[in-house]
Amino acid sequence: MMERAYTSLGPPLNAQEISEHLAFLPNELPHEYIAFLLTTNGARPRPADWIGDERTGTFSIKCLFGVTRPRGFSNLSDHYASCLAKGIPDFVSIASEDSGNFVLMSLRDDDYGSIHYWDYCADYALDTAETVIRIADSFTDFVHGLVEWSPDD
């Protein structure tokens, strides 16, 4: 298995601080994602490339959002507000990719914790629900699906 590396973007927080910062969410985040936040509080992952299908294409993760807002980066609450504004309240944006789209985590009962690609840039032309595409069953599956990719591959 490929080794994972994360460049942390924010100061470490404990479980109580994370819980207090995320009290605005309608449901708790999955334990695996809380564990990630406890060690990184947002990060740049390596490897960072997702090999998608014809709907998502291949994309590169710019950052995985943390709880607090490090200089020059967004956080979970900033992007949850975007999800609310776009009519998808059962999702929280957990990452951004280089072309301006987002990776979402579901907070719905029927697919809780699953990971989705949000083609935010295409959103102006389509119903938002049409631009949210499931790509992984869990955060762990998502990060284990990240690879190093080059156009020559």
Side-chain angles (χ1 to χ4, degrees):
M1 180 169 18
M2 183 177 295
E3 186 172 329
R4 308 281 159 211
Y6 301 99
T7 302
S8 186
L9 299 176
L13 299 174
N14 63 41
Q16 182 177 341
E17 290 171 314
I18 290 173
S19 180
E20 289 169 3
H21 279 288
L22 298 179
F24 63 88
L25 291 173
N27 297 326
E28 289 185 11
L29 294 173
H31 295 292
E32 64 182 341
Y33 193 66
I34 296 295
F36 167 77
L37 292 173
L38 284 168
T39 60
T40 66
N41 190 14
R44 287 183 183 267
R46 287 293 168 246
D49 300 316
W50 180 266
I51 308 298
D53 60 18
E54 66 279 351
R55 296 177 306 155
T56 65
T58 298
F59 57 88
S60 214
I61 297 298
K62 181 177 178 183
C63 75
L64 295 161
F65 301 137
V67 175
T68 58
R69 183 183 297 126
R71 192 172 139 188
F73 290 93
S74 296
N75 64 15
L76 291 167
S77 66
D78 292 340
H79 287 286
Y80 182 65
S82 295
C83 290
L84 287 175
K86 292 291 187 174
I88 50 173
D90 297 331
F91 290 92
V92 62
S93 182
I94 61 165
S96 63
E97 54 103 337
D98 284 341
S99 63
N101 296 311
F102 298 98
V103 176
L104 307 176
M105 180 176 284
S106 174
L107 301 175
R108 299 181 296 202
D109 291 337
D110 63 335
D111 64 351
Y112 176 76
S114 61
I115 306 300
H116 301 253
Y117 180 79
W118 182 14
D119 191 350
Y120 185 83
C121 296
D123 194 39
Y124 66 90
L126 301 170
D127 176 38
T128 299
E130 295 177 39
T131 64
V132 175
I133 303 159
R134 186 177 176 142
I135 59 173
D137 291 337
S138 68
F139 180 71
T140 300
D141 289 347
F142 173 68
V143 294
H144 286 288
L146 295 174
V147 298
E148 291 294 335
W149 178 83
S150 73
D152 300 331
D153 289 347

